[in-house]
Amino acid sequence: MDILLLNGPNLNMLGMREPDQYGTQTLDDITGHLSALARDAGFTLAHHQDNSEVGLIDKIHAASKNGTKYIIINPAAFTHTSVALRDAILAVGIVFTEVHLSNVYKREEFRQQSYFSDIAQGVISGFGAQGYEFALEAAFKHIQSN
Ligand code: DQA
């Protein structure tokens, strides 16, 4: 797979989880649309959502062995807590975009601390599900030019 899309804890609840914050689309709606966009552009996209750090870290490690060229990750609450997830991405050295559905800078102060922003190619926050589309565009461009 060219691109790996990772979503962290509680994002399996999209659609019913705080819709004012995260919108009404389900994760299946979002990933289905992104897979179609990737396919139309001639890329392959794999998706994995996990409520545990272990599951996400294992996928990142596997990405270093299966030819993944780019990672799009919404680490969800792990954004603000997980040195282990940060270290996993640093270990594999795959370029990535950090995505948040909500604008974390408009919210509680603890959400403004990220263990990923300083090592990401870029950060997209506050555009809802459209943020993943922007990240996908960045992934296409990165893969084409590398
Ligand atoms: C989130 C923002 C995080 O602070 C929160 O813990 C999430 C979702 C977002 O997509 O806006 O679970 O990453």
Side-chain angles (χ1 to χ4, degrees), residues 9 11 17 22 74-77 79-80 99-102 104 107 111:
L11 293 173
R17 177 190 178 201
Y22 301 119
N74 182 346
T79 306
H80 321 298
V99 175
H100 300 286
L101 293 149
S102 64
V104 289
R107 302 182 63 193
R111 293 188 203 277

Side-chain angles (χ1 to χ4, degrees), residues 3-117:
I3 303 161
L4 174 63
L5 169 64
L6 289 175
N7 280 288
N10 301 307
L11 293 173
N12 56 313
M13 303 290 283
L14 287 181
M16 54 197 290
R17 177 190 178 201
E18 299 179 75
D20 291 351
Q21 213 55 265
Y22 301 119
T24 53
Q25 280 186 283
T26 66
L27 190 57
D28 279 351
D29 294 337
I30 294 170
T31 57
H33 179 57
L34 294 173
S35 295
L37 289 176
R39 194 172 50 241
D40 291 351
F43 295 92
T44 50
L45 177 81
H47 170 249
H48 181 75
Q49 185 276 332
D50 216 295
N51 291 319
S52 81
E53 269 175 315
V54 180
L56 294 166
I57 290 169
D58 286 349
K59 285 288 174 190
I60 291 167
H61 291 174
S64 71
K65 301 188 189 104
N66 66 18
T68 299
K69 301 182 184 85
Y70 201 94
I71 294 175
I72 297 167
I73 183 168
N74 182 346
F78 292 147
T79 306
H80 321 298
T81 62
S82 184
V83 176
L85 208 48
R86 172 192 173 94
D87 284 350
I89 295 206
L90 284 173
V92 301
I94 298 173
V95 178
F96 73 98
T97 293
E98 174 187 348
V99 175
H100 300 286
L101 293 149
S102 64
N103 180 350
V104 289
Y105 299 100
K106 271 194 198 167
R107 302 182 63 193
E108 302 97 320
E109 211 173 312
F110 69 83
R111 293 188 203 277
Q112 295 167 30
Q113 149 66 26
S114 167
Y115 279 106
F116 301 88
S117 301

